[in-house]
Amino acid sequence: VVYQARDTFLNRIVAVKLLGEDLRDNETAVKYFLREARAAAALAHPNIVTIFDAGEQDGEYYIAMEYVEGETLKEKINRGLVLDEDEVRQILVQSCKALEYAHDQEVIHRDIKSGNIMSKPDGTVKIMDFGLAKFLRSDLYGLGCTAFECVTGRVPFTEGELAYHHVHTEPPSPSEFNEELSDEMEEIILRLLQKDPDDRYESA
């Protein structure tokens, strides 16, 4: 659960994430929650949401972080937007800079998706929610899924056992859903979505 709050000591607006009541006694959930705080706190990059503080107080586990004006890519897409290809290119460039930096610090996000990438009104991209993987997936593959969703308005797989499809089923070509997509962007997305990590790009 995330709240907008005011840091009364430094007099600034922050975002405060609390672990939900139903998860406080779940050791695995607490471990993931604190792992996110530790992973992200080690990172200082203009395209990664900054962590200010984390801990436990009166039984509440919390992370205080930078408040970002804007909306997630998922929220944009849910408003019926197929994003302009130039905008998607900027999203990819900034996301890759952030991931390359994180990977150099030996931090893997593990859950890159449209709901974890914020877009500010000025076009700046911020990656958030490090360390909260639902299932293990490569960051570059996740970025490919995000780019696919941005240019088509839908995710690569929508029916059946999704985890199975991500591992075994070839994705559709994004140009099937967006005829105006350039060959270059399609090639980038499909390479990011290769099943074998060795067939993807070597690094962000």
Side-chain angles (χ1 to χ4, degrees), residues 3-181:
Y3 296 95
Q4 181 180 332
R6 180 175 295 281
D7 179 337
T8 56
F9 184 72
L10 294 175
N11 194 32
R12 63 182 171 187
I13 298 297
V14 299
V16 177
K17 177 184 286 189
L18 299 179
L19 194 59
E21 286 185 30
D22 55 329
L23 296 174
R24 286 178 204 157
D25 296 327
N26 183 322
E27 288 185 14
T28 301
V30 170
K31 181 181 77 172
Y32 277 133
F33 190 77
L34 296 177
R35 185 178 77 178
E36 176 194 359
R38 282 192 293 269
L43 305 175
H45 190 276
N47 299 117
I48 296 174
V49 170
T50 303
I51 299 293
F52 297 137
D53 188 25
E56 180 265 336
Q57 182 174 328
D58 300 329
E60 293 264 22
Y61 291 92
Y62 69 90
I63 303 174
M65 64 188 82
E66 169 189 8
Y67 175 75
V68 180
E69 287 279 0
E71 58 186 341
T72 66
L73 298 181
K74 172 63 83 176
E75 288 169 334
K76 277 193 165 192
I77 294 161
N78 284 348
R79 289 196 285 111
L81 295 180
V82 171
L83 305 189
D84 177 84
E85 189 168 321
D86 284 339
E87 182 180 358
V88 177
R89 189 174 284 109
Q90 285 304 310
I91 290 167
L92 284 172
V93 167
Q94 294 180 63
S95 297
C96 283
K97 286 179 178 177
L99 290 174
E100 182 79 345
Y101 167 79
H103 294 166
D104 284 346
Q105 313 300 312
E106 299 187 342
V107 174
I108 300 172
H109 188 289
R110 293 191 173 94
D111 197 24
I112 291 291
K113 59 185 180 183
S114 58
N116 283 340
I117 301 178
M118 293 285 294
S119 175
K120 296 176 66 176
D122 67 0
T124 303
V125 161
K126 294 268 191 179
I127 296 179
M128 57 186 182
D129 284 358
F130 273 79
L132 287 185
K134 299 298 186 295
F135 58 92
L136 196 60
R137 199 167 75 206
S138 150
D139 285 352
L140 292 183
Y141 182 86
L143 194 61
C145 291
T146 300
F148 187 103
E149 190 177 1
C150 285
V151 300
T152 66
R154 51 158 283 162
V155 291
F157 306 109
T158 59
E159 298 176 348
E161 182 52 55
L162 299 184
Y164 176 89
H165 288 317
H166 281 297
V167 174
H168 298 290
T169 307
E170 289 302 316
S173 296
S175 58
E176 288 181 28
F177 310 100
N178 181 352
E179 295 178 354
E180 298 179 3
L181 194 65

Side-chain angles (χ1 to χ4, degrees), residues 187-203:
E187 183 181 340
I188 289 170
I189 292 171
L190 290 178
R191 185 167 174 187
L192 287 167
L193 291 177
Q194 288 295 310
K195 300 303 174 190
D196 186 343
D198 291 337
D199 293 333
R200 300 174 199 147
Y201 295 97
E202 289 182 16
S203 70

